[in-house]
Amino acid sequence: MVPARDSDLPVLDLAGSAVDLTVALCDIESVSGNEAAIADAIEASLAIYPHLEVIRDGDAVVARTNLGRASRVVIAGHIDTVPVNANLPVRREGDELIGRGTVDMKAGVAVALVLAADLSEPPVDLTWIFYDNEEVSSDLNGLGRLARTRPELLAGDFAILGEPTSATVEGGCNGTARVEVRLSGIRAHSARSWVGHNAIHDAAEVLRILKDYEPEQLEVDGLVYREGLNAVAITGGVAGNVIPDQAVVTINYRFAPSRSGEQAIAHLRELFDGYELTVTDLAEGARPGLDEPLAQDFLAAVGGVAHPKYGWTDVARFSAHGVPAVNYGPGDPLRAHADDERVNIAEIIACEQGLRAWLGTH
Amino acid sequence: MVPARDSDLPVLDLAGSAVDLTVALCDIESVSGNEAAIADAIEASLAIYPHLEVIRDGDAVVARTNLGRASRVVIAGHIDTVPVNANLPVRREGDELIGRGTVDMKAGVAVALVLAADLSEPPVDLTWIFYDNEEVSSDLNGLGRLARTRPELLAGDFAILGEPTSATVEGGCNGTARVEVRLSGIRAHSARSWVGHNAIHDAAEVLRILKDYEPEQLEVDGLVYREGLNAVAITGGVAGNVIPDQAVVTINYRFAPSRSGEQAIAHLRELFDGYELTVTDLAEGARPGLDEPLAQDFLAAVGGVAHPKYGWTDVARFSAHGVPAVNYGPGDPLRAHADDERVNIAEIIACEQGLRAWLGTH
């Protein structure tokens, strides 16, 4: 069924090149919370392909084959971007596309859309997920919403998230925890400091622990995850003439996926034994899942080498759902969110070819 | 000359008791910047005494005798208060007056006003200064304004500031300096912390220096001044997932009056050698000046024992002007600015009697 098209709807040509499609997707501005237009365009462009069942949920679009294959692979990407900063429309310069969304992650979405349209007889059933609100608060995340409200749409034996990895495979991801260590003292006038107790001075030991800490490097399923433990904020002080009775050090712990969130917090409690510690944020990591046969096949098809993913990504949502997942997408992640965000065209082509090689030969 | 009285002007009875006058003064609300009404009332009430020359400058009122005595003593107090917090009008409970301004420092002002009116033939010439804006930014301070624009009004051989000292003599005051120590690092995503350099972690050493520092106790003109060195604020942090590239520790150094401001800063630069240090505030201390004969007489008349003043007070403005100065006033300074601010009535009477004993017998 071809849906009636709104005449204002941008037309996405899924039969063309992923490079051109990247440009078209970027030029539909879709800062988090404003994804309706791009979701409409994606939904409409997928709906004309009879091999796909297309499902709309808020501003997420899911398309899937139902061929009765023995396995199902989920390929997902978010369609929102961080705010535009005079970096649209996209321009091409040499072998790069420059502009908001090129790296994070409309090039990855373009690759997925072209393959979703083209692979009508894949060796595995495929679920393509294009979702909203990845760049904002975790509770708004479209993939998280689907996991809560329509978990059957995430079901699969293996998942690939098209986040930028410079077209290499980055397995799993580190977990992340944020805790606050609160120091309490006794307020006093600073002219009579001996009457009080300076809470900021007590932060010296907390910062020393952090400075002296040697982050571990842990091997998980053959990949080495590098951890990190850092103060990301510190506050304290009442007034220029007052001995402060409060200081708070906010700490971010990036932990290898071989630790559960609970274990990560236990590690912090041990490290800051005796301190008042409050957990303000905790997201589990994701094991790379590269021991799965499907993952092995995929890895072989796209070059054979996997690296660990240090940053937390939505692969952890698949992992929490029992679906091993990796990151694989065009673009240098260090360019994400930069005002001069840009993607190398060769990486778009490489990712398309890599996935095509795997899903054509499996 | 008796000036025409505005009918709405509160009438202050300077011939009554200093205790009743304290209540009357407190009940004329005069938060810093809003001293016009109380200055009007003070000016009008002093103007009826022919032994006084009364001078108005902004919301400061100066009254002085011109008897051609060999010496001149200046007695001063500020007429503003910190903000009222549902603690007016003043109420009397047992042997205390409770409410905003009772300690800091309308009881001291009341004692001065009663004596200014009564002592028409003192053994020394007297200058009484009642000034505005002591509780706010130093550049607004009424005594500082007089020192800049009408320095002749501050001239004298000895000065007494009626700030609360629990009716004891507190000589001179510590100086105070505020400096910022700025740590600089390299910003990075906290998932790849090894790419950056954490400026907050570098604050560990600054805080350790502060924590380990043992403040000195220095004897100056027979009084022992206790110093203090404290972080009064710390800030750092960009976002919950960013290695911070900046942290700032704000430090307050209270230094004995035997050190000049320059020496105090040199001491800090030595202590934080190698760090980026910025001086944001510096006020010299004041030597107690108790070796002056007038001061010795005063001290003998009021009990003979002097203590050092730890907090910075406007005695330093007299000291900078070449006039040795001490603090002497009713009320516990630890009650200043407290919502349950209160003054012991016996201390009001003691201060009045002490000054009367001295200025009557000299």
Side-chain angles (χ1 to χ4, degrees):
Chain A
M1 189 190 76
V2 179
R5 281 210 172 183
D6 182 315
S7 58
D8 288 341
L9 206 60
V11 177
L12 299 174
D13 177 12
L14 307 192
S17 85
V19 177
D20 293 341
L21 185 56
T22 299
V23 175
L25 288 169
C26 289
D27 288 346
I28 305 173
E29 199 178 301
S30 58
V31 175
S32 310
N34 192 30
E35 299 95 333
I38 198 168
D40 287 350
I42 289 172
E43 182 186 8
S45 64
L46 287 167
I48 63 175
Y49 294 94
H51 66 279
L52 293 174
E53 175 195 11
V54 178
I55 299 151
R56 175 74 176 253
D57 181 285
D59 285 333
V61 180
V62 178
R64 58 182 178 182
T65 63
N66 294 303
L67 303 167
R69 302 291 195 248
S71 309
R72 176 175 291 277
V73 169
V74 185
I75 299 180
H78 66 85
I79 58 175
D80 61 321
T81 70
V82 294
V84 175
N85 188 7
N87 48 8
L88 280 183
V90 164
R91 60 196 169 84
R92 180 168 178 160
E93 207 172 85
D95 53 1
E96 293 181 318
L97 300 180
I98 304 173
R100 176 61 75 230
T102 47
V103 163
D104 193 8
M105 57 165 279
K106 288 180 174 173
V109 169
V111 167
L113 282 170
V114 163
L115 293 173
D118 190 42
L119 299 175
S120 57
E121 290 287 339
V124 291
D125 267 311
L126 293 171
T127 300
W128 307 90
I129 303 181
F130 306 96
Y131 63 98
D132 55 293
N133 282 304
E134 193 269 348
E135 298 290 4
V136 285
S137 169
S138 178
D139 56 326
L140 297 176
N141 185 292
L143 190 64
R145 183 182 67 247
L146 291 175
R148 281 193 306 277
T149 61
R150 309 189 69 173
E152 73 283 2
L153 296 179
L154 273 69
D157 303 286
F158 182 54
I160 298 169
L161 194 66
E163 288 276 0
T165 60
S166 300
T168 64
V169 177
E170 293 189 350
C173 71
N174 272 333
T176 180
R178 248 178 296 277
V179 300
E180 289 179 355
V181 174
R182 183 173 301 269
L183 295 315
S184 296
I186 299 168
R187 200 182 283 203
H189 196 290
S190 67
R192 292 177 203 84
S193 52
W194 50 92
V195 176
H197 182 95
N198 195 316
I200 292 177
H201 291 191
D202 285 351
E205 179 60 14
V206 174
L207 297 185
R208 191 201 57 75
I209 292 170
L210 289 169
K211 197 173 173 63
D212 291 352
Y213 185 82
E214 296 197 2
E216 292 188 61
Q217 304 203 19
L218 297 172
E219 189 175 325
V220 185
D221 299 351
L223 300 184
V224 176
Y225 286 84
R226 194 164 174 178
E227 298 193 325
L229 181 68
N230 276 277
V232 289
I234 187 165
T235 59
V238 177
N241 60 353
V242 175
I243 302 302
D245 57 345
Q246 289 270 319
V248 177
V249 184
T250 305
I251 296 167
N252 183 211
Y253 180 33
R254 302 283 177 153
F255 54 93
S258 53
R259 300 191 202 256
S260 68
E262 201 176 322
Q263 287 167 335
I265 298 300
H267 182 58
L268 293 180
R269 289 203 187 279
E270 195 174 56
L271 207 54
F272 296 101
D273 187 29
Y275 288 94
E276 184 188 337
L277 187 149
T278 308
V279 180
T280 57
D281 190 27
L282 179 60
E284 305 271 346
R287 299 182 75 99
L290 289 170
D291 42 356
E292 299 291 320
L294 270 173
Q296 288 292 324
D297 285 357
F298 164 66
L299 194 56
V302 301
V305 182
H307 302 281
K309 185 77 174 175
Y310 295 124
W312 195 91
T313 76
D314 278 337
V315 295
R317 297 187 194 274
F318 285 108
S319 180
H321 212 70
V323 185
V326 299
N327 302 275
Y328 176 66
D332 177 354
L334 294 177
R335 289 287 189 178
H337 303 193
D339 286 341
D340 66 341
E341 184 175 344
R342 60 186 64 204
V343 67
N344 193 305
I345 288 168
E347 293 182 9
I348 302 176
I349 295 166
C351 282
E352 182 185 341
Q353 288 177 341
L355 286 167
R356 203 180 277 282
W358 176 44
L359 295 170
T361 59
H362 187 76
Chain B
M1 188 189 80
V2 179
R5 280 207 173 185
D6 183 315
S7 60
D8 288 342
L9 205 60
V11 176
L12 298 175
D13 178 11
L14 306 192
S17 83
V19 177
D20 292 342
L21 186 56
T22 300
V23 175
L25 288 169
C26 289
D27 288 346
I28 304 174
E29 198 178 303
S30 59
V31 175
S32 309
N34 192 29
E35 300 96 332
I38 197 168
D40 287 350
I42 288 172
E43 182 187 7
S45 63
L46 287 168
I48 63 173
Y49 293 93
H51 66 280
L52 294 173
E53 176 195 11
V54 178
I55 299 152
R56 176 74 176 254
D57 183 285
D59 286 333
V61 179
V62 179
R64 58 181 178 181
T65 62
N66 294 303
L67 303 168
R69 302 290 195 248
S71 307
R72 178 175 290 277
V73 169
V74 185
I75 299 181
H78 65 85
I79 57 174
D80 61 321
T81 71
V82 296
V84 176
N85 189 6
N87 48 9
L88 280 185
V90 163
R91 60 195 169 86
R92 180 170 179 157
E93 207 171 84
D95 52 0
E96 293 181 318
L97 300 179
I98 304 174
R100 175 62 74 231
T102 47
V103 163
D104 193 7
M105 57 165 281
K106 288 181 175 173
V109 169
V111 167
L113 282 171
V114 163
L115 294 173
D118 191 41
L119 298 176
S120 57
E121 290 287 340
V124 292
D125 267 311
L126 293 172
T127 300
W128 308 90
I129 303 181
F130 306 96
Y131 62 98
D132 54 295
N133 282 301
E134 192 270 349
E135 298 290 4
V136 286
S137 171
S138 177
D139 56 327
L140 297 177
N141 185 292
L143 190 62
R145 183 181 69 247
L146 291 176
R148 281 192 307 275
T149 62
R150 309 189 70 174
E152 73 283 3
L153 296 178
L154 274 68
D157 303 287
F158 181 54
I160 298 170
L161 195 65
E163 288 276 1
T165 60
S166 300
T168 64
V169 177
E170 294 189 351
C173 72
N174 272 331
T176 179
R178 249 178 294 279
V179 300
E180 290 180 355
V181 174
R182 183 174 300 271
L183 296 314
S184 296
I186 300 168
R187 200 181 283 204
H189 195 291
S190 67
R192 292 178 203 85
S193 51
W194 51 91
V195 176
H197 182 93
N198 195 318
I200 293 178
H201 291 192
D202 285 351
E205 178 60 14
V206 174
L207 297 185
R208 189 201 59 72
I209 292 170
L210 289 169
K211 197 174 173 63
D212 291 353
Y213 185 80
E214 297 196 3
E216 291 188 62
Q217 304 202 16
L218 296 174
E219 189 177 324
V220 185
D221 299 349
L223 300 184
V224 176
Y225 287 84
R226 193 164 173 180
E227 298 193 324
L229 181 68
N230 277 275
V232 289
I234 187 165
T235 59
V238 177
N241 59 353
V242 175
I243 302 303
D245 57 346
Q246 288 271 319
V248 177
V249 184
T250 304
I251 295 167
N252 184 211
Y253 179 33
R254 301 284 177 151
F255 54 94
S258 52
R259 299 191 203 257
S260 68
E262 202 176 319
Q263 288 168 335
I265 298 301
H267 181 58
L268 294 179
R269 289 204 187 279
E270 194 175 56
L271 207 55
F272 297 101
D273 186 32
Y275 287 94
E276 184 188 337
L277 187 148
T278 309
V279 180
T280 57
D281 190 27
L282 178 60
E284 305 271 347
R287 297 183 76 101
L290 289 171
D291 42 357
E292 300 291 321
L294 271 173
Q296 288 291 325
D297 285 355
F298 164 65
L299 194 57
V302 302
V305 182
H307 302 281
K309 185 76 175 173
Y310 296 124
W312 195 90
T313 76
D314 278 338
V315 296
R317 297 187 196 274
F318 284 108
S319 180
H321 212 69
V323 184
V326 298
N327 303 275
Y328 176 67
D332 177 354
L334 295 176
R335 289 288 189 176
H337 303 193
D339 286 342
D340 66 342
E341 185 173 344
R342 60 185 66 204
V343 68
N344 193 302
I345 287 168
E347 293 182 8
I348 302 177
I349 295 167
C351 283
E352 183 187 341
Q353 289 177 340
L355 286 167
R356 204 180 276 280
W358 177 44
L359 295 171
T361 59
H362 187 73

